[in-house]
């Protein structure tokens, strides 16, 4: 049965010495079949061995000087795997892309050289970082061959080579000349079959998942494949078209799905409501209706907001009002979910033991329309306190949780946007599939 907001359609822990925590999940057999970094260290004496580690060093830089790192979250995320390998006596060779230089060598800025991250890495790791100006070639090979026990080498932006995103064999083999072992710890690029994520594994003796990747797989796959029920997914964002595969997959696995963000107006149009000037994808209206029917047939509670916060223009200073979803008309547009809906969402979240949050509930970049998203983030934190498993699934929802100062109050924050979505969709990630079997 379908009703609004009611829009209801009815129906472990391991703590490592390197600071990573996982709750009890029975991850799928496919995930458990891949070698992780600890398993690699058990099979091979890594002392003095070169290990190439694919990381994600895409940090934001100050717009003023294009050099100062303004958020080092991604740098801190690579510390556990890197320190583990260094402690095993391995020579660690870090490689990453940085922005989208599209095969051009750019000296500075968000698509430029990786020089700005060097001081931060040295501080975080307590080690000198040797930096080279390319990622393959004779000079890089010479630098890699000179490494001695426990040294750290940083390669240049892999996307300075146009072949990186094409999984070019020459680039893959060039990277393969630098080490015998490979560790994949860049979850955010694991859904891409690139030279530094997938192609390089063909030139390694063994390839393993780092702590960050391993944790992502256990949380995200574990949450949807073997959840502690009831399982609730909170799905938001501007466009339903980008979330259709995720919603379809979640309908197969969830007990409850809460919808928010601009996408809800496409569902309202499918229900025959006037949506005023609200965002809508007319070519998706019919499919939105089919998704509601599919959830009903599966006995899944698919909950749409019953009230929204309206504005007369897309601006923080706009006139605003709260209205029932069947009362929208004229020039008004919906920019956030309403208070009645938040009460409904709070009850559903309180009754769930595994909660996945992907996508904002409104235009959270505008402070007057951020309450829905911030409140959901607070409800996630509250659920974590009582022992629920709470996962923030990448993208804007991560920014919202961090903006609310609640990043450390949920069980897991995913580091991947597209990768998180594809994993939730049930897709196999090329950067994971290429790893050595456990």
């Amino acid at each position: 049965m379908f009703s609004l907001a009611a829009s209801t359609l009815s129906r472990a822990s391991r703590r490592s010495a390197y600071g990573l925590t996982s709750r009890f999940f029975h991850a799928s057999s496919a995930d458990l079949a891949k070698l992780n970094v600890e398993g690699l260290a058990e099979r091979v004496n890594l002392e003095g061995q070169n290990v190439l580690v694919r990381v994600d060093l895409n940090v934001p830089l100050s717009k003023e000087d294009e050099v100062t790192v303004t958020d080092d979250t991604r740098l801190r995320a690579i510390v556990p795997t890197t320190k583990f390998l260094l402690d095993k006596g391995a020579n660690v060779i870090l490689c990453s892309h940085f922005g989208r230089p599209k095969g051009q060598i750019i000296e500075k800025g968000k698509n430029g050289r990786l020089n700005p991250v060097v001081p931060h890495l040295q501080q975080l790791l307590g080690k000198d970082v040797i930096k080279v100006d390319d990622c393959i070639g004779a000079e890089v090979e010479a630098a890699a061959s000179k490494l001695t026990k426990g040294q750290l080498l940083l390669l240049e932006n892999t996307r300075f080579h146009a072949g990186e995103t094409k999984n070019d064999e020459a680039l893959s083999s060039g990277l393969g000349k630098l080490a015998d072992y490979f560790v994949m710890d860049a979850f955010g690029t694991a859904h891409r079959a690139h030279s530094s994520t997938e192609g390089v594994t063909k030139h390694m003796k063994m390839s393993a998942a780092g702590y960050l990747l391993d944790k992502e797989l256990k949380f995200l796959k574990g949450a949807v494949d073997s959840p502690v029920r009831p399982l609730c997914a909170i799905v938001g964002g501007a466009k339903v078209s980008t979330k259709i595969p995720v919603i379809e997959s979640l309908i197969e696995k969830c007990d409850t799905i809460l919808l928010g963000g601009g996408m809800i107006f496409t569902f309202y149009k499918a229900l025959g409501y006037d949506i005023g000037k609200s965002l809508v994808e007319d070519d998706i209206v019919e499919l939105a209706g089919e998704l509601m029917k599919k959830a009903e047939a599966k006995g899944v509670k698919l909950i749409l907001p019953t009230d929204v916060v309206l504005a007369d223009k897309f601006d923080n200073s706009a006139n605003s009002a709260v209205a029932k979803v069947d009362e929208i008309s004229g020039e008004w547009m919906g920019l956030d979910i309403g208070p009645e809906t938040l009460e409904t969402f709070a009850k559903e979240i309180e009754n769930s033991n595994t909660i996945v949050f992907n996508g904002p509930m409104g235009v959270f970049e505008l402070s007057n329309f951020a309450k829905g998203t911030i409140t959901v983030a607070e409800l996630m934190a509250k659920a974590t306190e009582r022992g629920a498993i709470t996962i923030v699934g990448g993208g804007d929802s991560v920014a919202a949780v961090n903006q609310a100062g609640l990043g450390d109050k949920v069980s897991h924050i995913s580091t991947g946007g597209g990768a998180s979505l594809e994993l939730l969709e049930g897709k196999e990630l090329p950067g994971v599939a290429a790893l050595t079997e456990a």
Side-chain angles (χ1 to χ4, degrees):
M1 52 187 175
F2 181 82
S3 64
L4 281 163
S7 272
T8 345
L9 304 177
S10 187
R11 180 168 106 125
S13 183
R14 173 174 71 83
R15 185 177 297 274
S16 104
Y18 297 89
L20 290 172
T21 305
S22 298
R23 299 206 175 205
F24 286 105
F25 269 136
H26 301 288
S28 69
S29 57
D31 298 324
L32 294 175
K34 296 300 179 182
L35 186 68
N36 63 24
V37 68
E38 291 184 1
L40 176 65
E42 289 172 3
R43 291 191 189 185
V44 180
N45 179 2
L46 293 175
E47 187 169 339
Q49 298 281 357
N50 282 10
V51 180
L52 180 66
V53 185
R54 179 53 160 98
V55 291
D56 184 357
L57 302 179
N58 273 272
V59 291
L61 301 178
S62 167
K63 293 180 181 178
E64 294 179 4
D65 62 16
E66 295 188 315
V67 171
T68 303
V69 175
T70 57
D71 183 349
D72 69 350
T73 301
R74 284 179 172 168
L75 303 185
R76 287 184 279 110
I78 77 165
V79 170
T81 295
T82 308
K83 277 194 170 180
F84 175 82
L85 291 167
L86 290 171
D87 288 350
K88 292 295 182 182
N91 309 317
V92 177
I93 302 173
L94 299 175
C95 74
S96 174
H97 74 284
F98 195 56
R100 297 176 180 175
K102 298 179 180 179
Q104 302 296 312
I105 295 176
I106 300 173
E107 294 297 328
K108 194 176 177 182
K110 64 179 182 180
N111 300 310
R113 294 191 180 276
L114 280 164
N115 297 351
V117 307
V118 173
H120 288 264
L121 290 177
Q122 290 184 154
Q123 184 178 2
L124 288 168
L125 297 167
K127 283 264 187 185
D128 288 337
V129 174
I130 304 166
K131 166 75 169 46
V132 289
D133 291 332
D134 204 340
C135 61
I136 58 170
E139 290 185 12
V140 179
E141 290 170 29
S145 67
K146 291 176 184 175
L147 294 174
T148 56
K149 179 181 173 182
Q151 285 194 301
L152 193 59
L153 177 68
L154 173 62
L155 306 183
E156 189 54 272
N157 190 344
T158 58
R159 289 190 185 172
F160 281 179
H161 292 265
E164 159 72 329
T165 57
K166 301 171 185 175
N167 205 0
D168 178 64
E169 171 59 22
L171 180 56
S172 299
S173 63
L175 290 168
K177 293 176 182 178
L178 307 179
D180 286 330
Y181 303 99
F182 175 72
V183 172
M184 177 63 178
D185 212 25
F187 175 68
T189 58
H191 63 310
R192 306 294 188 197
H194 290 176
S195 294
S196 68
T197 61
E198 195 269 348
V200 68
T201 63
K202 299 178 176 68
H203 304 276
M204 296 288 167
K205 291 180 179 178
M206 291 186 203
S207 299
Y211 282 123
L212 182 62
L213 178 60
D214 201 40
K215 184 183 178 189
E216 292 273 14
L217 295 174
K218 283 181 169 62
F219 265 97
L220 289 170
K221 289 292 287 180
V224 295
D225 288 351
S226 303
V228 180
R229 292 192 179 274
L231 168 61
C232 173
I234 308 163
V235 183
K239 295 184 176 182
V240 67
S241 57
T242 62
K243 301 288 177 78
I244 285 172
V246 175
I247 295 172
E248 287 181 324
S249 177
L250 292 174
I251 286 172
E252 298 294 329
K253 299 171 181 178
C254 287
D255 301 291
T256 303
I257 301 173
L258 311 178
L259 296 183
M263 69 166 67
I264 61 177
F265 300 101
T266 299
F267 285 89
Y268 294 146
K269 190 160 185 179
L271 292 169
Y273 294 166
D274 186 344
I275 58 171
K277 293 293 183 180
S278 302
L279 179 69
V280 65
E281 293 178 275
D282 288 316
D283 58 332
I284 305 294
V285 170
E286 184 177 348
L287 183 53
E290 291 174 3
L291 288 174
M292 289 187 280
K293 291 176 183 176
K294 185 175 181 180
E296 186 169 22
K298 287 282 183 180
V300 175
K301 288 163 56 175
L302 181 67
I303 300 180
L304 284 164
T306 48
D307 62 341
V308 293
V309 180
L310 299 175
D312 59 359
K313 59 181 177 179
F314 194 87
D315 191 282
N316 202 43
S317 63
N319 295 312
S320 62
V322 175
K324 298 287 188 181
V325 296
D326 57 357
E327 297 173 348
I328 307 169
S329 63
E331 299 298 308
W332 291 95
M333 63 182 74
L335 297 185
D336 198 8
I337 59 177
E340 181 180 274
T341 298
L342 285 171
E343 289 182 13
T344 301
F345 282 16
K347 291 175 184 175
E348 293 296 335
I349 292 170
E350 174 63 27
N351 291 330
S352 300
N353 288 322
T354 302
I355 306 137
V356 180
F357 177 26
N358 186 286
M361 298 291 97
V363 187
F364 81 98
E365 314 94 273
L366 304 179
S367 59
N368 288 335
F369 304 99
K371 185 174 181 180
T373 304
I374 299 301
T375 301
V376 168
E378 292 170 347
L379 292 169
M380 293 278 285
K382 187 177 179 181
T384 312
E385 284 183 10
R386 65 171 170 79
I389 296 162
T390 54
I391 300 163
V392 183
D396 288 338
S397 45
V398 173
V401 169
N402 286 330
Q403 181 179 307
L406 299 169
D408 60 347
K409 304 297 183 185
V410 294
S411 305
H412 179 62
I413 289 186
S414 178
T415 58
S420 299
L421 290 176
E422 292 198 11
L423 205 58
L424 291 173
E425 288 169 29
K427 291 183 178 178
E428 185 175 57
L429 308 183
V432 175
L435 301 178
T436 303
E437 301 297 311

